[in-house]
Amino acid sequence: VKEIFSILDEEPVDVVFLWSSKSGKLAKKIANRFHQIKIVTFFHNVEIQYGEEELKIAPSLKNRFINLVVRSNERHAVENSNSLITMNQRDNMLLKRYYNRTADLILPLGMSDVYLKSISPDRFNNPNIMLKLIFVGSAFFANIDGLEWLLQNVFSKLSNVELLIIGKNMDKHFTQSYDDARNARVKVSGYVEDLEEVYEQCHIVISPIFHGGGMKTKTAEAMMYGCPIIGSKEAFEGYDVDYNQIGAQCNTAKEFIDAINRMRTSEVLIQCARYARNIFLRKYETNALSDKMSYFLSSMV
């Protein structure tokens, strides 16, 4: 805080942009000392709702304490910010519900394009012989809950399908492989430095997420790498896409099973892959969003 204050004392700052609503105490301190500076807070999700979701699944004393601290910070952020930004309309409605205030800008998640390749049909060979699914995400409550549901209710009823799970601490939560006949085709890895090769070796990104807030980075990442996506409503929250063209939106075990079996041809997979890549470049690549953000910030000065 001292370092931030020294910058604000010395530089002609008009706007402070806070990257998270968890920084509410900082917002309050800046507002109390620098009355001329306008504060913008970006909401990755509405933390009070996100915390409630987490406590339903993991109601530990630690999580309860963290949730109280985060809720206090978020309220300070709302009360001391001149402008609020959410990623989607759902979170905008949650702001109204919990704080009786709406967002000044809705700006979807953006990601810089690091793939820079065309989609090769060779990636989608032999899907009917062995369809390769991948899940990417760290070992936090919503990912683990969704994967455990998938393994029990969906994957166990599929044949000729492999599932690769990748993410920080996933290898600690799940075993490296499942030895019983039902799950012999599941492999688990931990953190991977470069995901490009991993994505290129899979046919479909699977995303059974049923809890959370904001937008899922893993969805934009899959689109960037040109991957067909089969995901839940929560996985696609905030994304303006045609579910049939990108893969499928599924919320029940039967819907997931039917969608996976429906996408066992190279022709369908390559069409979905190209759609995913194109829609990413049009709507969710950083450059597609920068003008909207720049205009909003300049209007505050």
Side-chain angles (χ1 to χ4, degrees), residues 13-260:
V13 175
D14 297 302
V15 179
V16 169
F17 180 89
L18 296 180
W19 183 236
S20 169
S21 60
K22 295 179 182 179
S23 301
K25 290 180 74 174
L26 175 60
K28 182 178 180 180
K29 290 179 180 180
I30 293 173
N32 287 340
R33 178 164 171 175
F34 301 93
H35 304 294
Q36 79 283 7
I37 292 178
K38 295 179 180 178
I39 299 171
V40 179
T41 296
F42 178 78
F43 284 70
H44 293 262
N45 40 255
V46 178
E47 295 292 344
I48 185 171
Q49 177 264 346
Y50 185 84
E52 289 176 354
E53 293 282 304
E54 183 174 24
L55 289 175
K56 290 177 184 177
I57 298 174
S60 66
L61 288 176
K62 175 184 176 182
N63 285 342
R64 290 183 184 279
F65 174 74
I66 292 173
N67 189 41
L68 287 174
V69 175
V70 170
R71 288 173 67 162
S72 174
N73 265 280
E74 185 167 77
R75 183 164 293 280
H76 285 310
V78 173
E79 292 174 350
N80 292 280
S81 296
N82 299 87
S83 298
L84 307 177
I85 302 175
T86 62
M87 287 185 173
N88 53 47
Q89 184 61 34
R90 188 264 303 272
D91 286 1
N92 185 32
M93 293 171 65
L94 287 172
L95 274 181
K96 179 67 174 178
R97 171 184 167 188
Y98 287 108
Y99 301 111
N100 197 31
R101 183 171 173 183
T102 55
D104 300 277
L105 175 67
I106 296 177
L107 189 75
L109 182 148
M111 180 178 290
S112 296
D113 183 21
V114 298
Y115 190 49
L116 306 174
K117 290 183 181 180
S118 59
I119 306 301
S120 171
D122 294 339
R123 282 175 53 180
F124 302 100
N125 291 333
N126 304 318
N128 199 40
I129 297 174
M130 186 60 71
L131 191 66
K132 299 177 181 179
L133 310 179
I134 184 173
F135 178 93
V136 178
S138 61
F140 87 112
F141 76 97
N143 288 341
I144 290 172
D145 179 72
L147 277 173
E148 290 179 342
W149 176 88
L150 183 83
L151 290 169
Q152 180 178 352
N153 299 286
V154 176
F155 196 80
S156 60
K157 298 175 175 62
L158 295 169
S159 59
N160 300 329
V161 177
E162 292 179 344
L163 174 62
L164 175 60
I165 301 170
I166 290 180
K168 183 179 179 181
N169 293 326
M170 279 297 191
D171 51 336
K172 297 178 181 178
H173 183 83
F174 295 94
T175 56
Q176 284 291 332
S177 64
Y178 289 79
D179 296 327
D180 60 279
R182 184 182 65 186
N183 288 321
R185 294 159 287 121
V186 178
K187 298 293 183 292
V188 186
S189 179
Y191 175 79
V192 174
E193 185 68 34
D194 186 1
L195 287 168
E196 180 175 314
E197 184 177 351
V198 176
Y199 276 116
E200 288 182 335
Q201 292 175 352
C202 79
H203 292 129
I204 299 171
V205 168
I206 195 84
S207 191
I209 306 299
F210 302 105
H211 305 279
M215 293 175 67
K216 305 301 175 285
T217 304
K218 61 171 65 67
T219 303
E221 185 175 76
M223 292 164 62
M224 179 184 70
Y225 283 110
C227 296
I229 305 170
I230 297 176
S232 59
K233 181 179 184 297
E234 184 63 40
F236 284 114
E237 186 67 49
Y239 288 95
D240 181 19
V241 300
D242 185 321
Y243 304 124
N244 291 325
Q245 290 196 62
I246 204 169
Q249 187 202 95
C250 308
N251 297 292
T252 67
K254 185 179 186 304
E255 288 174 345
F256 270 97
I257 292 168
D258 290 346
I260 291 168

